[in-house]
Amino acid sequence: MATIQDVINNAKKYNKKSNSKKIMKAYEYANNAHKGQLRMSGEPYIIHPLEVAYIITTLELDDDSICAALLHDVFEDTDLKREEVVEEFGEEVAEIVDGVTKLGSLAAQTFIDKREEQVENYRKFFMAMAKDIRVLMIKLADRLHNMRTLKHLTDERKVSNAKETRMLYAPLANRLGIYSIKWELEDLCFMYLEPDAYFELAKGVKSKREEREKFINEILDELRAKMKEAGIQAEIYGRPKHLWSIYRKMKKDNKTLDQIYDLFALRIIVNSVKDCYAALGFVHEMYKPMPGRFKDYIAVPKPNMYQSLHTTLIGKNGVPFEVQIRTWDMHRVAEYGIAAHWAYKEKGASVSVSDDKLSWLRESLEWQNETNDDREFMNQLKFDLFDEDVYVFTPVGDIKQLPAGATPIDFAYSIHEQVGHKMVGAKVNSRIVPITTELQNGDIVEIVTSDNSNGPSRDWLKVVKTNSARSKIQNYFKKALREENTAKGKEMIDRELKRIGMNFADLFRPEWLPDVLEKYKYNTLDDAYAAIGFGAISPLKIITRLLEEYKKENKDLELEKTIEELKQVKLDNRPRSSKNGIIVKGIDNCLVKLARCCNPLPGDDIIGYITRGRGVSVHRADCVNCKDLINNEQRLIDVSWEKEIKAAYIADITLYANDRNGLLADITVAMNEVKGNMVSINAKTTPNRVAIITIGVEVDSIDKLNKILKALRKVDSVYEVKRNK
């Protein structure tokens, strides 16, 4: 259990100018404020902020951070006022405490509840991080200590807290590169969420510990002797891998613990980058490296600043083991991440999101200013937190860092906006590929452009992974179709006003509009109209906000009812779906038919058309027949796919190949490998020996269809596979 003296002593170790009196004063204020309060364990509450402050000193943060850690719960749990904290400790400490308090109240709901108010809270969560990253580091320390003492809570709260930690805090610690916190959080979550697997694995690892340590110690002795002989100053030691890391590897590779040999990682820490590569050469000279298991994170650092050389080697009796080689500076970053860059010696120094070290957070903040779509915002942030990155190269050897699953479209926009807009094709490793191809580590990507390009396609928005590419594509369409979108948005507003029986002049009053426009980040009413027409925001959001203002001056029970109905439409919006998985907005039990001309699948953009006597006909948005339907806008209706669809759909695809013996057999094998069910097949061969094969496949989503298309493209002699329009 940490004491205030432990906190002060730790701070003095890395900062000789640390203000012990200020830290002691913060402790005394916190102790008095929390006097009489107990934790669930029955211990005095002050133990918790002391432990949080101690964790902060292990990250080597500044005095203001330590004081804020000691005071981080006073605004929420005590009578201590912000003004008093400002007076005694300064505005900076008060700002950090305020930020931590807000994160505490917001985090629990953000990943669970996607209503507009909660999404707005999530935006504030990231804005607090952007304002001062120390807020998040204190929150991570707070969560770590709470997870260490989780045993005192009810089973329900244990599981709830562990899920939230695994979902939000551990990925954030990873993104900030604070592995010392990330690993412990992940293991603690593992223990509470999967206790049987955790304790069985812990027991298994312990039983093999003596055997593994003997094996590792022999290698350590050999490595130390070799480094000494080579004149390389190095500290070499072994560390056991974390249980959650081992468990994930067992699951991923479908192996038992007996089949996982690299339960230990060996570290070689040297004084310079030159020594890193020299040490690597000697290690590869001593032991045979495993092909494909070498990673150079020094030349290409991870997004969270992590740098190291990783190699897996074959030891005696064919047993593999991992070696990590890094400098002391790299080691500090590996343990403390963004905290390792904290300049505590310089008054007011900080690491802001404009720094390249936080590029992922900077892009997330830029993206949130570009979109008002709550669902898209939430999905993208989850993607930012959980997905790893791939590293690809330009033809001249420059490295581009993109998220996993990125395509040449993302690559093009990462070079320049106009390169993306003018892209007509792509080459990967000198081969022409579809622009939707997923890029892999080490790919060399070349973008083919043309001044005669028609610009980006709306379909690109379905496949791009980067915020910047999505934003640039959307901005293109906003600008290109602004006049059309503005007129359409105005019509949509007028239609909704007529539906609820309100007049434009009653709601869109000059004194109310500025606040509403500022709320949704629009400069003018035309900007809002264009966004509505484009689909970036619902007209109901604007109208509901204005109705709230109207209500203040007009006491009307019917008006209250109207506002509540609009909120239900906006927030719940849960009509029942049809049998084929289509939800028709505002209508239940409606006859719905999927158009045979384009055979839409779950995941396709779709539009609904009210037919005469045959219900709603659903088409793909890119269906050739939609051009005529869109002209009759009054008969269009909003439709969407149900989230969980269990229905099966038939999609027709056409395959072109050079005819050869065994072609159909290979196509059948490829379909079986992806569990594709063929319901029909029609094949013919042209005089110049081109095989044209039309296949009807049964699928449940566009993702399943894409897997089938990808598998068929890999069949030998096949040069084109496409979905029939």
Side-chain angles (χ1 to χ4, degrees), residues 418-436:
Q418 289 305 314
V419 174
H421 290 346
K422 295 180 180 180
M423 179 173 63
V424 293
K427 291 181 181 180
V428 174
N429 303 325
S430 301
R431 293 181 57 194
I432 294 177
V433 299
I435 60 174
T436 56

Side-chain angles (χ1 to χ4, degrees), residues 672-689:
N672 287 335
E673 286 178 352
V674 292
K675 299 180 180 178
N677 183 29
M678 291 190 292
V679 296
S680 65
I681 185 167
N682 182 29
K684 64 180 181 179
T685 305
T686 66
N688 57 351
R689 305 298 295 171

Side-chain angles (χ1 to χ4, degrees), residues 98-115:
D98 203 28
V100 175
T101 302
K102 287 174 181 174
L103 289 195
S105 63
L106 300 179
Q109 37 196 359
T110 52
F111 270 88
I112 300 166
D113 192 341
K114 296 185 180 66
R115 293 181 300 177

Side-chain angles (χ1 to χ4, degrees), residues 39 48 51-52 54-56 58-59 72 136-151 161 165 169-170 173 178-189 192:
R39 304 199 79 212
H48 171 64
E51 291 287 350
V52 173
Y54 185 80
I55 294 169
I56 288 301
T58 65
L59 298 177
H72 77 272
L136 180 57
M137 288 190 274
I138 292 173
K139 191 60 194 173
L140 287 173
D142 171 62
R143 178 50 59 112
L144 177 57
H145 183 247
N146 282 334
M147 287 299 296
R148 287 173 177 173
T149 56
L150 207 57
K151 63 182 180 182
N161 284 9
T165 301
Y169 290 101
I178 310 176
Y179 288 109
S180 57
I181 289 181
K182 168 190 178 280
W183 289 321
E184 189 174 351
L185 286 178
E186 287 179 339
D187 276 0
L188 288 167
C189 291
Y192 286 106

Side-chain angles (χ1 to χ4, degrees), residues 38-41 45 76 108 143 146-147 149-165 189 192-193:
L38 300 177
R39 304 199 79 212
M40 293 296 291
S41 62
Y45 193 89
E76 187 175 14
R143 178 50 59 112
N146 282 334
M147 287 299 296
T149 56
L150 207 57
K151 63 182 180 182
H152 301 290
L153 302 184
T154 63
D155 289 344
E156 184 179 354
R157 287 189 62 191
K158 287 176 188 174
V159 171
S160 175
N161 284 9
K163 281 183 177 178
E164 182 187 47
T165 301
C189 291
Y192 286 106
L193 293 177

Side-chain angles (χ1 to χ4, degrees), residues 152-318:
H152 301 290
L153 302 184
T154 63
D155 289 344
E156 184 179 354
R157 287 189 62 191
K158 287 176 188 174
V159 171
S160 175
N161 284 9
K163 281 183 177 178
E164 182 187 47
T165 301
R166 180 180 283 181
M167 191 180 292
L168 177 59
Y169 290 101
L172 281 171
N174 177 57
R175 275 300 190 181
L176 295 179
I178 310 176
Y179 288 109
S180 57
I181 289 181
K182 168 190 178 280
W183 289 321
E184 189 174 351
L185 286 178
E186 287 179 339
D187 276 0
L188 288 167
C189 291
F190 182 26
M191 182 173 69
Y192 286 106
L193 293 177
E194 300 167 77
D196 292 343
Y198 174 87
F199 287 109
E200 182 181 349
L201 180 59
K203 183 179 178 182
V205 170
K206 186 178 181 180
S207 67
K208 296 177 178 295
R209 184 171 182 174
E210 187 175 337
E211 175 189 341
R212 302 290 181 194
E213 285 185 345
K214 182 180 178 183
F215 170 74
I216 291 296
N217 286 334
E218 288 178 4
I219 295 174
L220 286 174
D221 290 341
E222 292 171 359
L223 286 173
R224 285 169 181 150
K226 188 67 175 179
M227 294 302 126
K228 185 176 181 180
E229 178 188 331
I232 298 175
Q233 287 187 345
E235 181 170 321
I236 307 173
Y237 64 94
R239 67 160 184 86
K241 289 199 171 178
H242 297 271
L243 293 179
W244 176 241
S245 173
I246 297 170
Y247 184 70
R248 278 195 306 180
K249 187 169 186 178
M250 289 167 60
K251 286 288 187 182
K252 179 184 175 183
D253 299 337
N254 196 25
K255 291 182 177 180
T256 64
L257 182 61
D258 290 332
Q259 296 170 302
I260 304 292
Y261 294 102
D262 51 343
L263 299 179
F264 283 80
L266 300 181
R267 281 207 186 117
I268 301 176
I269 306 179
V270 295
N271 294 326
S272 68
V273 173
K274 179 183 176 183
D275 286 347
C276 286
Y277 289 101
L280 177 70
F282 288 119
V283 168
H284 281 184
E285 182 184 311
M286 296 170 68
Y287 308 99
K288 185 176 181 179
M290 286 182 67
R293 295 296 298 274
F294 169 69
K295 293 180 180 178
D296 187 345
Y297 292 120
I298 293 179
V300 186
K302 287 187 177 183
N304 58 19
M305 306 161 295
Y306 178 87
Q307 288 184 288
S308 194
L309 298 175
H310 288 200
T311 184
T312 302
L313 307 148
I314 304 296
K316 294 178 181 177
N317 303 320

